[in-house]
Amino acid sequence: MLHDVPLLQRIFFVTRRLNYFVAVSGLFFCGTSYGHAMEDKLVLMPAPASIHQEEGSLQLTPGMRVTYAHFHDARLEGGLDRALRRLEYISGQPRLQVAAGNEGSAALVVDVKGAGGAVQSLDEDESYSLVVSSTQIQLSAPTVVGALRGVETLLQLVACDHGACHVPAVRIEDTPRFRWRGLMIDVSRHFEPVSVIERTLDGMAMVKLNVFHWHLSDDQGFRAESKRFPKLTGMGSGGQFYTQEEMRHVVAYARARGIRVVPEFDMPGHSVSWLIGYPEFGSSAAPTELPAVFGIHDESLDPTQEKIYKFLDALVGEMGGIFPDAYFHIGGDENTGKAWRENPKIAAFMKAKNIQNTDALQAYFNQRLLPILKKHGKHMIGWDEVLTPGLPKDVIVQSWRGGDSLAKGAREGYSGILSAPYYLDGMKSSEEHYLADPIPADASLTPEQKALILGGEVCMWSEQLNWLTIDSRIWPRTAAMAERFWSPADRRDVADMYRRLQTTSLQLEMAGLTHISGPQRALRSLALSREPVALGVFASVLEPVSFHDRYQAQHTNATTPLDGLVDAVVPDPPSRFEIREQVDAVVGGSDLAEAGRLALVARFRSWEEAVPALTELASQSPRMPGAAVRVKQLDQLAKVGSEALGYLKADKRPPNGWSEQQLQVLDEAAKPAGMVRFTFLPSLRKLVEATAK
Ligand code: ACM
């Protein structure tokens, strides 16, 4: 029994809702899990492959002992030490002591067969089993990585009530569905300090992700120190880059958590930063400064020069020594070919070699890169565009264009990973990301072709974020995708996902991520240092518009301040799903209809109460352009909702024309303003339409 869950939710709402809703009604707003008996359910994310809950639990008491059945190494010991420290923090009890001795009397027995790969491979065995009885926890795994996965599950099982903590009796057998479960971070468009990378790796380990794809170079910056080619960062990073020591540290930090690090050096396009210091490798006259403008630049490495392959040989060799992973990401995306077409020497080269077009020239470039990577013990991975005729079958294609292109690769015999539905900057809901499967149920692939789909990768492009806002863009949505990649395919219950996600979100924040505290701080700053209560109400029902919509509104570039309302609000805040469930309960007349109605009444009232303070703030703050429009709409929408509930409660039809008027208000509120959008408009529409029935 996880009696602590409601308490955790309460803490969640205190933090997420900035104290406001708890003040108006802790009772009504007790969770996205509205409609579900959460007390009886475990909160594990990602859900394990198989779990049997049994009677009873093991109570954690001071002086309990942990022992290794036989194998242990520094990595396992370090992982366990970190876990026990977290457990101490969760439980408020002194740490369990790791000590040799009789297995029978130990509270936790860790039974690991061996270290696993010296360099973690795609085939690392990450399985584990966790058996908890009222007297002992047995964690067994073939490898240290498997044990690390099991330890995370164990921590998620710990529940506290009445001043004591316990672990419910369970039998868990767990293994991932996909071998490649990644998160990519672009550190070129905006740089991220090592501390951000570290805490992101901590979060990844908590939800069992296993690949950190580090997008280290792009037009706006080359972020990896090269001693062979010092002008790469010397002139192409604006002084923001990782030293070799820092990169080695990140690799070790990730390995300690069972995470591979795949570096990406994007080429031949997206390479302006390379050319600032080394214009001789370019196909056209290179800019002398890093471009502030994002998007696709025409500059490109020149594939016709022999010296570029010597350069790349040396660079891959140098970076390959820092990043031991078997895969080396060469990017390969969005090369326009314009600089190649316009360069007479390159045109002459193409003619002499009978290279028909720039796609074929890029295929030539890739073919030249392959033996270089091979020489340094690396397999190639690249974005969709690398998939060209004649590519060897050990190349992995990362699909950012969609499932169809992934399936096409698989039909041709290429391994692939899916990223298209997992772009965080699209500002989609956790639900939408969660339901997108690397191998959809209707995929027309043979079992052999399906086996080529290695998994998925969440992508965090950084044009519109910085180190202050990155966490709230990555978390908690990435946890939902981590479950898609780890758990059985039939795990698709969205309500249950949201029920667990809010607890997982809190756990991530407690472990050091700042996706809850960061936006709070941002709102406090936006509120001109006043208590941001009204702003919290406002922010709780707003989310940022998509990357493209923001770009349309703002033409975001590298100098755009990222400190507005759009940066302080978070994608898919709990309100979206909560209001949907509450409206569904009211409209569907379920057992929860009255509770849902009361919750909505209180919510609409809280909006109206926030409006005067918001109106004042919107008129004073230079950082909330367009907010005044949204404030006015919030006021109108609160009235729409309250009136609709009134008619439904009285079982009375509204007067002629009322619905049309309300729907007009909703239509207006759906139009772009302030780079933020309301989370609840479809649900409110449903409520209005229900009055006519
Ligand atoms: C990409 O989004 N250009 C990989």
Side-chain angles (χ1 to χ4, degrees):
M1 298 283 176
L2 291 184
H3 295 296
D4 65 320
V5 169
L7 177 67
L8 285 176
Q9 282 173 346
R10 207 169 256 267
I11 298 165
F12 179 80
F13 286 107
V14 170
T15 51
R16 273 311 262 258
R17 298 247 168 81
L18 305 151
N19 303 321
Y20 194 86
F21 287 146
V22 173
V24 285
S25 172
L27 182 66
F28 303 136
F29 292 108
C30 215
T32 57
S33 53
Y34 181 83
H36 301 270
M38 58 222 154
E39 288 85 356
D40 295 325
K41 293 183 183 175
L42 300 174
V43 180
L44 298 176
M45 184 167 265
S50 133
I51 177 164
H52 296 282
Q53 193 167 358
E54 296 172 353
E55 280 299 308
S57 64
L58 175 120
Q59 184 158 344
L60 298 175
T61 53
M64 275 187 156
R65 204 164 51 79
V66 181
T67 193
Y68 297 106
H70 44 94
F71 175 86
H72 52 110
D73 61 6
R75 183 160 65 139
L76 181 58
E77 288 158 13
L80 202 62
D81 187 60
R82 288 193 306 276
L84 295 179
R85 239 182 298 148
R86 278 164 58 203
L87 183 58
E88 188 175 77
Y89 182 50
I90 294 167
S91 69
Q93 292 198 11
R95 189 149 3 143
L96 275 68
Q97 296 302 315
V98 181
N102 181 358
E103 266 178 46
S105 65
L108 169 61
V109 178
V110 180
D111 182 353
V112 175
K113 296 284 175 280
V119 173
Q120 188 173 321
S121 79
L122 200 46
D123 298 316
E124 186 85 359
D125 190 338
E126 298 178 86
S127 67
Y128 69 93
S129 80
L130 189 61
V131 180
V132 182
S133 72
S134 58
T135 54
Q136 193 171 66
I137 303 164
Q138 284 207 313
L139 170 61
S140 315
T143 67
V144 170
V145 175
L148 294 172
R149 305 290 178 249
V151 161
E152 293 298 339
T153 303
L154 175 58
L155 286 174
Q156 291 182 12
L157 283 169
V158 175
C160 304
D161 62 14
H162 306 107
C165 294
H166 29 95
V167 185
V170 285
R171 300 185 73 85
I172 291 174
E173 298 290 336
D174 203 5
T175 194
R177 177 174 168 219
F178 289 110
R179 288 179 285 170
W180 191 300
R181 306 179 309 279
L183 170 63
M184 185 221 73
I185 298 185
D186 164 14
V187 294
S188 177
R189 273 58 174 263
H190 282 93
F191 181 71
E192 296 297 339
V194 172
S195 58
V196 171
I197 304 298
E198 285 178 347
R199 70 183 188 227
T200 304
L201 289 164
D202 290 340
M204 289 175 68
M206 287 173 71
V207 296
K208 301 181 171 59
L209 291 175
N210 69 353
V211 179
F212 171 48
H213 168 177
W214 208 354
H215 185 83
L216 281 163
S217 76
D218 211 299
D219 299 312
Q220 277 72 29
F222 193 102
R223 307 295 183 194
E225 180 193 27
S226 166
K227 295 193 200 276
R228 300 287 303 271
F229 305 99
K231 286 188 284 184
L232 284 171
T233 55
M235 296 179 72
S237 75
Q240 292 191 304
F241 65 93
Y242 306 100
T243 65
Q244 295 202 347
E245 193 182 345
E246 286 171 328
M247 292 187 286
R248 286 199 171 90
H249 163 77
V250 166
V251 168
Y253 194 97
R255 175 167 169 81
R257 287 153 183 77
I259 298 171
R260 299 165 44 209
V261 181
V262 175
E264 178 183 349
F265 294 90
D266 204 346
M267 61 183 112
H270 282 297
S271 59
V272 175
S273 63
W274 310 42
L275 302 175
I276 310 284
Y278 297 94
E280 63 270 32
F281 296 131
S283 309
S284 52
T288 51
E289 278 180 13
L290 290 167
V293 175
F294 300 126
I296 301 175
H297 293 261
D298 291 321
E299 285 82 359
S300 180
L301 303 183
D302 179 353
T304 69
Q305 300 186 50
E306 278 312 302
K307 69 180 180 208
I308 199 136
Y309 300 106
K310 284 206 179 67
F311 159 68
L312 290 173
D313 185 354
L315 186 68
V316 172
E318 184 181 22
M319 295 303 158
I322 295 168
F323 297 101
D325 200 82
Y327 287 87
F328 195 94
H329 205 304
I330 61 139
D333 58 320
E334 298 182 317
N335 181 43
T336 63
K338 184 165 181 277
W340 292 352
R341 280 190 297 274
E342 291 177 356
N343 181 323
K345 274 202 206 147
I346 295 176
F349 178 92
M350 288 171 70
K351 197 160 177 218
K353 294 236 179 223
N354 199 23
I355 293 172
Q356 299 296 324
N357 53 40
T358 52
D359 284 351
L361 184 57
Q362 186 161 341
Y364 164 86
F365 175 72
N366 291 340
Q367 290 290 348
R368 294 292 308 269
L369 270 178
L370 280 161
I372 293 173
L373 264 55
K374 191 167 178 186
K375 172 180 159 191
H376 297 291
K378 303 295 182 191
H379 298 284
M380 181 183 285
I381 170 167
W383 299 105
D384 280 315
E385 290 92 327
V386 300
L387 186 55
T388 46
L391 199 68
K393 296 290 190 282
D394 69 331
V395 175
I396 293 182
V397 179
Q398 178 168 16
S399 182
W400 69 281
R401 290 175 170 176
D404 289 348
S405 108
L406 184 72
K408 175 175 175 288
R411 282 191 203 97
E412 292 173 21
Y414 292 97
S415 297
I417 56 180
L418 184 63
S419 278
Y422 312 124
Y423 268 40
L424 292 165
D425 62 5
M427 301 297 174
K428 293 182 200 152
S429 65
S430 295
E431 172 177 3
E432 193 171 342
H433 288 307
Y434 182 64
L435 293 176
D437 199 296
I439 309 176
D442 59 358
S444 59
L445 295 174
T446 65
E448 293 74 27
Q449 290 163 352
K450 284 181 183 170
L452 289 170
I453 294 177
L454 302 173
E457 214 176 78
V458 180
C459 288
M460 186 75 269
W461 298 101
S462 67
E463 287 92 340
Q464 297 176 352
L465 58 80
N466 60 19
W467 63 279
L468 286 168
T469 57
I470 186 169
D471 288 7
S472 72
R473 275 53 188 147
I474 296 180
W475 308 105
R477 291 182 298 161
T478 292
M481 288 176 268
E483 172 154 298
R484 176 59 43 231
F485 304 155
W486 176 281
S487 305
D490 61 3
R491 268 268 168 188
R492 297 178 68 80
D493 180 338
V494 168
D496 188 58
M497 179 274 287
Y498 276 116
R499 172 185 74 85
R500 290 174 293 122
L501 188 65
Q502 63 181 354
T503 299
T504 303
S505 177
L506 253 190
Q507 289 165 345
L508 288 161
E509 173 81 20
M510 282 196 285
L513 275 310
T514 65
H515 55 291
I516 298 173
S517 52
Q520 273 187 296
R521 196 171 26 185
L523 290 179
R524 189 173 291 279
S525 148
L526 271 178
L528 307 172
S529 300
R530 275 170 249 173
E531 199 56 38
V533 175
L535 200 50
V537 172
F538 194 35
S540 76
V541 290
L542 291 173
E543 59 184 344
V545 295
S546 72
F547 172 86
H548 291 288
D549 289 349
R550 180 169 184 175
Y551 188 77
Q552 287 304 316
Q554 188 182 39
H555 292 284
T556 331
N557 71 32
T559 66
T560 306
L562 300 173
D563 62 355
L565 182 62
V566 59
D567 302 294
V569 300
V570 304
D572 197 17
S575 66
R576 190 190 66 86
F577 190 69
E578 283 172 13
I579 295 175
R580 188 168 100 196
E581 292 238 294
Q582 289 159 354
V583 166
D584 284 350
V586 170
V587 170
S590 78
D591 294 351
L592 292 157
E594 184 57 10
R597 190 185 69 79
L598 289 171
L600 290 168
V601 165
R603 198 188 282 272
F604 297 144
R605 196 185 312 131
S606 75
W607 297 354
E608 289 191 69
E609 286 168 4
V611 164
L614 290 172
T615 305
E616 194 197 337
L617 190 60
S619 71
Q620 290 181 6
S621 173
R623 282 158 53 196
M624 296 171 59
V629 177
R630 289 288 186 236
V631 171
K632 201 163 155 222
Q633 289 167 340
L634 186 73
D635 198 26
Q636 294 169 332
L637 293 165
K639 289 186 175 67
V640 170
S642 300
E643 287 181 26
L645 285 176
Y647 290 120
L648 287 169
K649 168 86 172 154
D651 206 8
K652 212 174 96 185
R653 268 183 168 262
N656 278 347
W658 178 87
S659 289
E660 290 71 18
Q661 248 174 8
Q662 313 311 305
L663 293 177
Q664 231 170 10
V665 172
L666 288 169
D667 288 343
E668 276 304 309
K671 291 180 182 164
M675 297 183 286
V676 291
R677 62 184 182 218
F678 290 111
T679 58
F680 55 83
L681 296 180
S683 297
L684 198 53
R685 176 172 292 270
K686 195 167 181 181
L687 203 61
V688 169
E689 286 169 350
T691 62
K693 288 186 186 135

